[in-house]
Amino acid sequence: MIKLEHVSKAYSAGIPALNDVSLEIEQGEFVFLVGDSGSGKSTLIKLLLKELNPTEGKITVDNIDLAKIKRKQIPKFRRNIGVVFQDFRLLKDRNVYDNVAFAQKVIGESGSHIKKKVPMMLSMVGLAAKYRSFPKQLSGGEQQRVAIARALINEPKILLADEPTGNLDNNNAWEIMKLLEEINDRGTTVVVVTHNLEIVKVMKKRVITIKKGVVVSDSKQGDYNDGI
């Protein structure tokens, strides 16, 4: 599903944010991506979304060589990737229903399809009763659930979650992680960038650790050790 072959990314200063990274993530996997601030995690996410291009190496996502995607094809490519951010990025002037529906309107789905699909997604994330609420009326955990529903409404094959629990208290953080696990159980490939090592240890998923732009460990389920 995701494959990096000897990928490096250097910015203008010449210091590589990623240095000769090779890894594979199979369809249906749940993977944590961990590392200190500045280790290269965010750069990796941007490369997968084709927000950046690698300085060297090859990136393949869902059997697509990203180097062959033209600029005008990028929006269509990204429809197969759902993204969830730490700061939710909801539209403040629109209610829950309209925030989720927005992702469908962007790709030109019909009104009848949207009216059917949005309630289904809100029910899945436990917010069916709050479809008229605005973001400011929701807790942090509820806002993140809206963001997840919006990311999944177009049925992406991959979900990238960049610090999805960073702004949440412990209870809400665990609820979001349980929801991501349920989404993974339904077949979506999930990649989670996080600093929350307690969650990483307890959930016992595959963990890829990046340090100074280099993959320093790639542990199987339950084998993670943060002593690097």
Side-chain angles (χ1 to χ4, degrees):
M1 182 58 69
I2 297 172
K3 186 175 183 179
L4 279 71
E5 300 174 73
H6 303 289
V7 170
S8 296
K9 175 62 182 177
Y11 294 102
S12 57
I15 300 174
L18 289 177
N19 189 6
D20 196 28
V21 171
S22 294
L23 61 87
E24 291 187 44
I25 297 173
E26 299 294 337
Q27 181 176 352
E29 275 199 278
F30 189 121
V31 179
F32 283 112
L33 188 62
V34 304
D36 296 334
S37 296
S39 62
K41 305 186 303 299
S42 294
T43 295
L44 177 53
I45 295 297
K46 290 177 180 179
L47 288 169
L48 295 179
L49 290 170
K50 204 170 170 60
E51 291 181 8
L52 297 173
N53 293 316
T55 307
E56 296 179 7
K58 180 180 178 180
I59 302 174
T60 306
V61 177
D62 193 22
N63 294 317
I64 299 172
D65 181 352
L66 268 56
K68 296 181 180 179
I69 298 177
K70 298 178 181 179
R71 183 181 295 273
K72 64 181 180 180
Q73 297 172 319
I74 292 176
K76 183 177 181 180
F77 160 73
R78 289 178 180 163
R79 291 176 194 173
N80 282 326
I81 304 177
V83 187
V84 178
F85 300 96
Q86 177 177 346
D87 55 358
F88 317 135
R89 303 193 184 184
L90 301 179
L91 301 170
K92 305 300 182 183
D93 61 342
R94 303 193 188 191
N95 62 26
V96 167
Y97 181 97
D98 288 337
N99 262 280
V100 178
F102 181 76
Q104 294 254 281
K105 291 177 180 178
V106 166
I107 65 171
E109 286 289 0
S110 67
S112 59
H113 179 87
I114 292 172
K115 288 180 180 179
K116 179 180 179 181
K117 195 69 179 290
V118 173
M120 290 173 56
M121 294 304 304
L122 291 178
S123 178
M124 187 189 79
V125 300
L127 290 177
K130 295 198 173 185
Y131 71 99
R132 291 182 176 177
S133 299
F134 285 83
K136 66 180 181 180
Q137 299 172 308
L138 304 175
S139 69
E142 289 171 335
Q143 289 186 63
Q144 193 61 289
R145 286 173 178 270
V146 176
I148 291 171
R150 182 181 59 190
L152 294 174
I153 190 82
N154 292 331
E155 300 182 2
K157 297 179 180 179
I158 301 168
L159 179 66
L160 304 178
D162 193 356
E163 297 289 354
T165 64
N167 284 331
L168 305 179
D169 60 33
N170 192 56
N171 287 337
N172 277 314
W174 278 109
E175 288 300 317
I176 291 300
M177 295 313 302
K178 289 177 184 176
L179 177 57
L180 293 179
E181 190 170 39
E182 291 173 8
I183 291 165
N184 175 246
D185 288 342
R186 299 183 185 195
T188 303
T189 303
V190 176
V191 179
V192 179
V193 174
T194 186
H195 282 100
N196 194 326
L197 298 185
E198 178 187 355
I199 285 177
V200 172
K201 291 176 183 177
V202 172
M203 291 189 68
K204 299 185 182 303
K205 305 293 185 181
R206 179 183 173 191
V207 184
I208 297 172
T209 305
I210 298 180
K211 187 173 184 179
K212 296 182 179 179
V214 177
V215 173
V216 295
S217 69
D218 187 348
S219 64
K220 298 180 180 180
Q221 294 186 1
D223 293 337
Y224 174 64
N225 185 340
D226 64 342
I228 62 172

